[in-house]
Amino acid sequence: MKNVLVTGGAGYIGSHACKVLRDQGYVPVTYDNLSTGWEDAVKFGPFERGDLQDRARLDEVFAKYEPVAVMHFAAFSQVGEAMREPGKYWHNNVGGSLVLIEAAVAAGCLNFVFSSTCATYGDQDGVVLDENSAQMPLNAYGASKRAIEDILTDFGASDGLNSVIFRYFNVAGCDPDGEVGEFHQPETHLIPLMLDAIEGKRPALTVFGTDYPTPDGTCIRDYVHVMDLVDAHVLGLKWLEDGKGSRVFNLGTGKGFSVREVIDHSSSVTNKPVPIVEGDRRAGDAVALVSGSTRANAELGWSPERSTLQRMISDAWRWHQNGHYDK
Ligand code: UDP
């Protein structure tokens, strides 16, 4: 059995990746400090509690499991928070990733799958966002991810580190079996907040900005089902194991939906109205982020078939009503 070190395996996307890795015959070893993750979400392999900045602990874990690859999900990932507390993003995301990358290289683990983001592109009105697009992040979250991409490139040149970098668009939905799901505290993401508002757990969803230059005035995003997203990670891992070398891939569907369109779909999936209030723009938000690349399909054979709004919202809704984790 091959071990894969999954940082952030107790978090939303990492826990789904662990499930798919386990299903594909790997042993996912979760490395997580539980700052935002949940031990209850670690169900598919061993758990090693630790911090990215703790080099001695990382060395111990690399020596114990001798992983064939790292999948690096652990990060802070909220745009609003990144605008208020950029230092947190530079210290944890960039500083922590640097320690992790150095530990991986020292251990001879030279296959690295990294969660980057479309937030590295920033606002580029009318430009098709493919992997060669300029990266002009609007916030410290996107800037921290771009910096980590640069670190990976440098260690590729110096030490032969092979990296598959995935630039995610907006991830949504959850495991249809309900074993793991999306559970953040505090929650900041559109779809879970909307489902809370539908259930009356919050008075209303605040729509962040209704005066954007889009057809209905709200921001546009490209939503990807988390199960499709983690499938891409396994394809990326196999790509590295096959010796195909470093590569960047956008993970999006190529189709954008406005905040109002997501609200309308949620209302029809749940058959309930979404209470909303219209608020100000959120600092750091891009107007529209939609992938314009087919590279992941052409080169990895990835096709995001579950990534319809209907499917993402209905899977999230099922989890929302039944699933949660306890500290
Ligand atoms: N959004 C919103 N109200 C909320 C949370 C998000 O209107 O309470 C909008 C946000 O401005 C963005 C979209 O929903 O246009 C997706 O935001 P989210 O935080 O889910 O993901 P991000 O795009 O920041 O990764």
Side-chain angles (χ1 to χ4, degrees):
M1 295 282 265
K2 293 178 189 169
N3 295 328
V4 175
L5 187 67
V6 182
T7 73
Y12 167 42
I13 301 171
S15 61
H16 287 77
C18 286
K19 176 167 174 151
V20 173
L21 283 166
R22 191 275 319 264
D23 291 348
Q24 295 279 322
Y26 296 90
V27 177
V29 179
T30 289
Y31 186 82
D32 198 301
N33 66 5
L34 299 183
S35 63
T36 58
W38 306 92
E39 194 164 353
D40 280 2
V42 184
K43 299 184 169 176
F44 312 105
F47 177 47
E48 296 287 347
R49 188 169 181 161
D51 196 277
L52 290 177
Q53 314 253 12
D54 187 345
R55 175 63 191 267
R57 180 82 180 110
L58 281 167
D59 286 346
E60 192 178 282
V61 170
F62 274 107
K64 180 170 172 187
Y65 294 98
E66 299 182 345
V68 294
V70 176
M71 279 193 190
H72 179 31
F73 298 95
F76 293 128
S77 61
Q78 296 170 21
V79 169
E81 180 185 63
M83 296 300 288
R84 293 188 302 273
E85 298 180 66
K88 200 170 159 178
Y89 283 71
W90 287 99
H91 279 296
N92 180 68
N93 291 6
V94 181
S97 297
L98 177 56
V99 177
L100 172 69
I101 291 163
E102 287 182 328
V105 167
C109 179
L110 297 179
N111 291 331
F112 201 99
V113 180
F114 175 55
S115 308
S116 190
T117 170
C118 63
T120 60
Y121 294 122
D123 250 336
Q124 303 191 32
D125 193 19
V127 172
V128 173
L129 296 177
D130 66 20
E131 294 82 356
N132 296 316
S133 299
Q135 291 178 288
M136 303 186 285
L138 298 178
N139 53 62
Y141 167 57
S144 71
K145 292 284 186 171
R146 184 185 60 179
I148 300 161
E149 292 191 12
D150 289 345
I151 296 171
L152 289 169
T153 304
D154 286 348
F155 278 81
S158 64
D159 291 271
L161 181 67
N162 299 301
S163 55
V164 162
I165 293 172
F166 287 121
R167 295 188 187 138
Y168 306 166
F169 286 69
N170 283 58
V171 189
C174 63
D175 170 20
D177 306 332
E179 287 190 279
V180 283
E182 181 170 19
F183 191 61
H184 297 108
Q185 262 184 354
E187 187 53 75
T188 63
H189 292 103
L190 178 64
I191 290 174
L193 285 176
M194 191 154 34
L195 299 179
D196 271 354
I198 289 173
E199 282 194 291
K201 291 183 184 163
R202 288 171 201 271
L205 172 84
T206 303
V207 177
F208 291 148
T210 54
D211 61 349
Y212 282 101
T214 60
D216 68 19
T218 63
C219 289
I220 292 174
R221 296 286 181 275
D222 177 343
Y223 293 86
V224 186
H225 197 298
V226 66
M227 298 305 295
D228 285 336
L229 187 95
V230 296
D231 278 354
H233 287 65
V234 176
L235 294 169
L237 171 60
K238 291 184 172 157
W239 168 283
L240 289 172
E241 287 190 299
D242 289 346
K244 293 184 176 170
S246 297
R247 197 75 169 138
V248 179
F249 298 96
N250 277 1
L251 294 180
T253 65
K255 186 158 170 43
F257 293 93
S258 71
V259 173
R260 287 199 205 280
E261 287 174 316
V262 178
I263 291 169
D264 290 346
H265 274 83
S266 299
S267 195
S268 67
V269 167
T270 61
N271 221 1
K272 292 173 193 282
V274 184
I276 61 162
V277 294
E278 295 186 354
D280 292 337
R281 292 182 178 196
R282 180 174 68 178
D285 262 342
V287 179
L289 287 166
V290 179
S291 178
S293 166
T294 53
R295 183 186 285 181
N297 176 266
E299 298 185 14
L300 293 176
W302 182 65
S303 65
E305 273 154 21
R306 287 161 286 200
S307 297
T308 60
L309 272 187
Q310 148 77 31
R311 180 101 188 243
M312 288 183 274
I313 294 165
S314 59
D315 285 343
W317 179 232
R318 199 174 324 109
W319 162 261
H320 211 77
Q321 293 172 99
N322 305 312
H324 63 93
Y325 303 125
D326 297 310
K327 274 277 181 214

